[in-house]
Amino acid sequence: MTPTAHKQAGRPPVSHAPRRSMGRRMREMNWIGGGFGWFWLLIVMLPLYWLVITSFKTQSNYFFTNPLKPPAEFTMENYQLVVESDFVRFFMNSVIVTAGAVLPATLISFMAAYAIVRGAGNRFLKTVNGIFLMGLAIPLQAVIIPVYLIIIKMELYDTLQAIILPSIAFAIPLSVLVLGNFIRDVPKELFESMRMDGATEWGTMWRLAFPLTRPALMTVIIYNAVGIWNGYLLPLILTQSPEQSTIPLALASFQTQFGVNVPAIAASVTLTTVPIVLLYAIGRRQLVSGLTAGFSK
């Protein structure tokens, strides 16, 4: 319809100029956002780059060359020194503690979150959910002395179990919150159809809720694994012998042992970071979708 026809019909002509202007404006904003994203990536990657190239330098080259310049000759002496300093034992202790805490915490949190969501009208489950939410407000540093006394009473001091049990307790509250938000997003019609097919609550939980909450499960696994792997306070307070030390505690001894041998420290930190980086690379998409669960309502 021409502008004349619009005028005859008593309606103003339709203009598409504002829409084009808005689209152009959005594209400009995307370019700005992309630029800030690349700038932030550079800031994040710069310490990692320095860490890796420093681990391949000799001690003399580190002090007399540009810190950001790659070494002229790469050396593996720092990694050999770290491995010969009983690094494998510390690494395995961290693996045992992380796996022994993350897997039970995830399993318990999933079952608790399912019960809380499905039994929304139950007073007991409401109280349990409130206790879990209260656990989010209690920092580990505030209760480390009671935890220490409990571990002493249980005769678990200076064992890996002394680190695993408190780690499970402090991983459950946030895990229940994330998993509960994700289970609430599952359509109720799916639960009703499972019940009409004769499935029990136990079967519905494992056959329906468990596969559908896989992104949230990956989220709590990665988040808790990073926190427990990098945990320093619990190993420091609840262990004593070097045989029970985890990697974060061992890094402190590396600094004392190597003195100012920064390349050796960089090599030990690089070896410590590799498992967490790989875990995040594998589950990064599930991590993002799990963290945003429940915010669409």
Side-chain angles (χ1 to χ4, degrees):
M1 185 179 291
T2 62
T4 305
H6 276 288
K7 188 174 182 180
Q8 293 175 354
R11 290 177 295 177
V14 179
S15 175
H16 297 283
R19 184 175 299 177
R20 295 196 192 98
S21 178
M22 182 63 69
R24 190 180 301 112
R25 194 175 304 168
M26 291 299 295
R27 286 194 295 271
E28 292 176 357
M29 291 176 62
N30 288 339
W31 278 106
I32 295 174
F36 276 111
W38 282 104
F39 178 71
W40 180 250
L41 178 64
L42 178 63
I43 294 177
V44 173
M45 292 300 297
L46 186 60
L48 297 178
Y49 165 78
W50 174 87
L51 189 68
V52 173
I53 65 170
T54 302
S55 66
F56 291 104
K57 294 180 179 180
T58 61
Q59 188 175 5
S60 58
N61 289 338
Y62 172 76
F63 286 105
F64 295 103
T65 59
N66 188 341
L68 298 179
K69 183 180 179 180
E73 295 182 2
F74 288 82
T75 178
M76 298 295 295
E77 294 179 358
N78 300 313
Y79 290 94
Q80 182 179 357
L81 181 62
V82 170
V83 172
E84 291 176 353
S85 301
D86 217 4
F87 182 84
V88 176
R89 174 185 294 178
F90 303 141
F91 184 88
M92 291 306 301
N93 287 342
S94 291
V95 170
I96 293 173
V97 169
T98 303
V102 169
L103 296 181
T106 304
L107 183 62
I108 295 172
S109 301
F110 170 71
M111 292 189 292
Y114 180 85
I116 291 171
V117 173
R118 294 291 292 159
N122 190 296
R123 291 185 178 180
F124 173 74
L125 293 177
K126 284 185 177 180
T127 304
V128 173
N129 189 32
I131 294 175
F132 285 142
L133 294 178
M134 288 175 58
L136 294 173
I138 302 176
L140 174 60
Q141 294 81 359
V143 295
I144 189 62
I145 294 178
V147 169
Y148 171 79
L149 296 177
I150 292 173
I151 293 299
I152 293 294
K153 290 291 184 181
M154 297 176 65
E155 298 182 357
L156 293 176
Y157 181 75
D158 200 23
T159 63
L160 296 182
Q161 290 87 343
I163 309 174
I164 292 174
L165 293 180
S167 299
I168 294 175
F170 282 94
I172 287 177
L174 183 61
S175 302
V176 171
L177 180 64
V178 174
L179 293 172
N181 286 336
F182 208 94
I183 294 174
R184 288 188 184 93
D185 286 344
V186 178
K188 295 182 179 180
E189 292 78 8
L190 296 178
F191 292 106
E192 295 296 331
S193 63
M194 289 287 291
R195 188 176 65 176
M196 292 178 63
D197 291 340
T200 61
E201 285 292 341
W202 186 261
T204 302
M205 179 177 66
W206 292 111
R207 287 195 237 166
L208 176 65
F210 187 79
L212 293 179
T213 56
R214 192 170 300 170
L217 291 170
M218 184 61 67
T219 298
V220 299
I221 288 175
I222 294 176
Y223 183 84
N224 292 329
V226 171
I228 296 172
W229 182 271
N230 295 327
Y232 182 80
L233 185 59
L234 287 177
L236 177 65
I237 301 299
L238 303 179
T239 60
Q240 178 178 331
S241 60
E243 292 78 11
Q244 305 299 332
S245 297
T246 57
I247 286 181
L249 197 61
L251 289 179
S253 64
F254 285 156
Q255 294 181 12
T256 303
Q257 179 179 354
F258 296 141
V260 292
N261 193 347
V262 179
I265 299 175
S268 61
V269 175
T270 301
L271 293 176
T272 303
T273 309
V274 168
I276 296 300
V277 173
L278 293 177
L279 183 62
Y280 176 77
I282 294 173
R284 64 186 184 278
R285 292 185 179 181
Q286 289 83 355
L287 178 65
V288 173
S289 60
L291 288 174
T292 57
F295 291 99
S296 59
K297 293 186 178 181

